[in-house]
Amino acid sequence: MAKQIVVISGKGGTGKTVLTASFAALAKNKIMVDCDVDAADLHLLLSPVVKTRHEFRSGRTAVIDMKKCQKCGTCLPICRFEAVRPDFRIEHFSCEGCGLCFHICPHGAIHMDENVAGEWFVSDTKFGSFVHAKLGVAEENSGKLVAKIRQIAKELAEKQALDYVIIDGPPGIGCPVIASLSGVDCALIVTEPTLSGLHDAGRVFEVAKHFNIPVKFVVNKYDLNPAMTERIEEFCRTQGVPVIGKIAFDTTVVQAVVEGKSIVEYAKCPTENEVRKIWERINRGL
Amino acid sequence: MIISVASGKGGTGKTTVAVNLALSLNNVRFLDCDVEEPNAHIFLKPRMNGKKSATIPVPEVDEAKCTYCGKCREVCAYHAIAVLPESDSAKGNVLIFQHLCHGCGACRLLCPQGAIKEVNRAIGVIEIGDKDAIQFIHGRLNVGEAMSPPLIRQVKAYTNNTKTVIIDAPPGTSCPVITAVKGSDFCVLVTEPTPFGLNDLVSAIDVLKRLEIPFGVVINRSDLGDGNVDQFCQDNNIPVLLRIPFDKEIALLYSCGIPLVQKKTEYKEAFRMLFEEIKSNIVR
Ligand code: SF4
Ligand code: SF4
Ligand code: SF4
Ligand code: SF4
């Protein structure tokens, strides 16, 4: 069975996607998944060619038929999601599709429409297959979309007898993060030596622990505040999780991103060297 | 006036902008709505003086009244209820899967027997404090909890119209962000001049356009990357309100949780100007 590795961070912008793309370049026999469906960026480094695209249907949205609506006002106060506007139109973004207004409207003026919440794709890239998605703007249920594309990737991995599923995870600790973590073989938490980085990594670590996921840490831009890096390492020691790499601040990384490349393809440099070592250490742990 | 600070991509400096803006103005109420990863308190270091549990209502069934008719299961759009009917050998049962429940209230209102009441389930906490003249409120989602919008709504209930309300929104473009920025008079979008920054900025703008909220852009680490964000803003008539260049000293201050304006006071003026820019953009 393919090993599933997810890269997460709690806090955004710590270098998650850059690392994921590098693992994509380094691993053999793999498939990539971008589970940050809300702000997907991995495709910018993988130059995918979309092979198949699929609608992601999820949930329903209430619609009021203005011809039937008597403006009786029943629906307005009962909606707990502030989705019924005073002019008796439903605010699409706010409607959670619970259907209460539909059930309760005395004039049968409301119906529930199925919602197209996004799209997902299977693509070819320079490094192999890639499953990614675009959540429609202002949509919910990103957790379900994440679960969907992970399942697709897992099926493809089985069919093609691949060794790795490499997952770029979303920021935060909510629904999509939980969906990204479930059942993985390793969660790599990428953090930075800042108080907020430590705070957020600590929270996402709690989530991973909650679901019994094996965790490893990487500190990115560790030299921007060596004392804080020390604190993160101390935190990891007390928690019994390994820090398997420390990457120095390096503007080459930004240049590589601007060129649309992973750092391992872009240049021979200390960062590239450290990233290789991190990948080896992940493998040793599997 | 309500100003929200958002960003399609995390880690661009959203909290930095929100916090330093708050510290540069008078009469501010600060709402940290990034309830999955609330960070503003790290910089503002407010003295907390109030705390309350944030809850959502979930149903509880009174077995004495329930006839196991199955209506509640039928109306629940989230499959949070299962009803096992009564039989000769066994009594019926209504199972509630609390983590799936959105607290919509449909089952309670529609139960023909009036057998359902609602009880509160904790999903996080709201903490209230102050830092000098800034009133501070943030929400903290419980670890393992999937639903942040109800907590965000409860933090937003502290909006006060007589003050400048600054909302630190969660990153992204989905439900939690919408919940946080909805109703703002203006939204500041923080980005960085990289392909990632641009890609996520474009999505964030899409959200704000649909919500009809006026917005402008702050470019952080403005000298690391390329010129495409600038070009994009120029081409689309989007005001660039402020640029903050990369500076190791700024990065160090940030890492220690020290607000920029406290050590580099020249930025206080820059953030006041940002506020003036915001005001003039609202009028327009
Ligand atoms: S309950 Fe039905 S009829 Fe009454 S205002 Fe709402 S949509 Fe219109
Ligand atoms: S379906 Fe539910 S959330 Fe949507 S408008 Fe009706 S009551 Fe509100
Ligand atoms: S709708 Fe009311 S009476 Fe019917 S099964 Fe549910 S709780 Fe029981
Ligand atoms: S409150 Fe709404 S979501 Fe919760 S169980 Fe009842 S119908 Fe389902």
Side-chain angles (χ1 to χ4, degrees), chain B residues 59 76 78 80-81 101-107:
Chain B
C76 179
Y78 311 105
I81 303 182
C101 171
H102 286 222
C104 72
C107 53

Side-chain angles (χ1 to χ4, degrees), chain A residues 10-13 38 40-41 80 82 91 93-94 96 98 138-139 172-174 193 195-196 199-200 203 224-225 228, chain B residues 10-11 35-39 78 102-103 118 141 153 173-175 178 182 195 199-200 207 210-211 252 254-256:
Chain A
K11 178 173 155 45
D38 197 3
D41 281 336
R80 294 205 172 146
E82 299 162 15
E91 210 170 73
F93 306 137
S94 301
E96 294 207 9
C98 70
E139 287 296 344
I173 61 165
L195 271 178
S196 9
H199 175 260
D200 296 354
R203 274 168 71 79
L224 285 182
N225 187 336
M228 196 65 69
Chain B
V35 301
E36 290 185 42
E37 306 287 13
N39 274 343
Y78 311 105
H102 286 222
E118 290 180 319
L141 189 70
R153 273 192 288 272
T173 56
S174 66
C175 221
I178 310 294
K182 196 175 137 181
N199 183 50
D200 299 340
V207 173
R210 293 202 203 181
L211 291 173
L252 189 62
Y254 176 88
S255 70
C256 303

Side-chain angles (χ1 to χ4, degrees), chain B residues 59-223:
Chain B
E60 195 177 84
V61 175
D62 180 347
E63 289 196 27
K65 290 188 188 158
C66 176
T67 58
Y68 309 104
C69 69
K71 181 75 181 171
C72 52
R73 179 197 55 81
E74 198 183 298
V75 298
C76 179
Y78 311 105
H79 311 292
I81 303 182
V83 178
L84 309 174
E86 244 170 336
S87 72
D88 296 340
S89 53
K91 73 193 234 343
N93 200 2
V94 179
L95 302 171
I96 314 270
F97 307 106
Q98 290 201 349
H99 60 286
L100 295 177
C101 171
H102 286 222
C104 72
C107 53
R108 183 183 68 86
L109 266 168
L110 297 166
C111 168
Q113 308 300 330
I116 296 180
K117 66 169 187 177
E118 290 180 319
V119 293
N120 288 329
R121 180 172 81 85
I123 55 169
V125 291
I126 293 174
E127 289 173 306
I128 302 161
D130 50 56
K131 165 73 179 184
D132 305 331
I134 301 174
Q135 296 177 344
F136 179 89
I137 295 107
H138 76 180
R140 196 188 271 278
L141 189 70
N142 286 349
V143 163
E145 181 59 57
M147 255 173 278
S148 61
L151 176 52
I152 295 172
R153 273 192 288 272
Q154 289 171 40
V155 175
K156 279 185 74 183
Y158 288 89
T159 300
N160 178 327
N161 286 329
T162 65
K163 294 183 176 292
T164 302
V165 177
I166 297 180
I167 292 178
D168 191 353
T173 56
S174 66
C175 221
V177 190
I178 310 294
T179 311
V181 303
K182 196 175 137 181
S184 301
D185 296 300
F186 192 86
C187 183
V188 177
L189 289 173
V190 186
T191 190
E192 57 181 33
T194 64
F196 292 174
L198 178 58
N199 183 50
D200 299 340
L201 175 66
V202 171
S203 310
I205 287 174
D206 207 355
V207 173
L208 294 175
K209 283 200 169 145
R210 293 202 203 181
L211 291 173
E212 297 173 9
I213 296 172
F215 59 89
V217 168
V218 169
I219 305 180
N220 193 16
R221 296 185 281 267
S222 54
D223 49 349

Side-chain angles (χ1 to χ4, degrees), chain A residues 266-286:
Chain A
Y266 183 71
K268 285 251 167 281
C269 60
T271 304
E272 172 254 9
N273 193 28
E274 181 67 12
V275 169
R276 277 178 199 278
K277 284 197 191 131
I278 292 169
W279 176 243
E280 280 164 26
R281 286 176 195 135
I282 289 176
N283 264 293
R284 237 176 281 150
L286 287 173

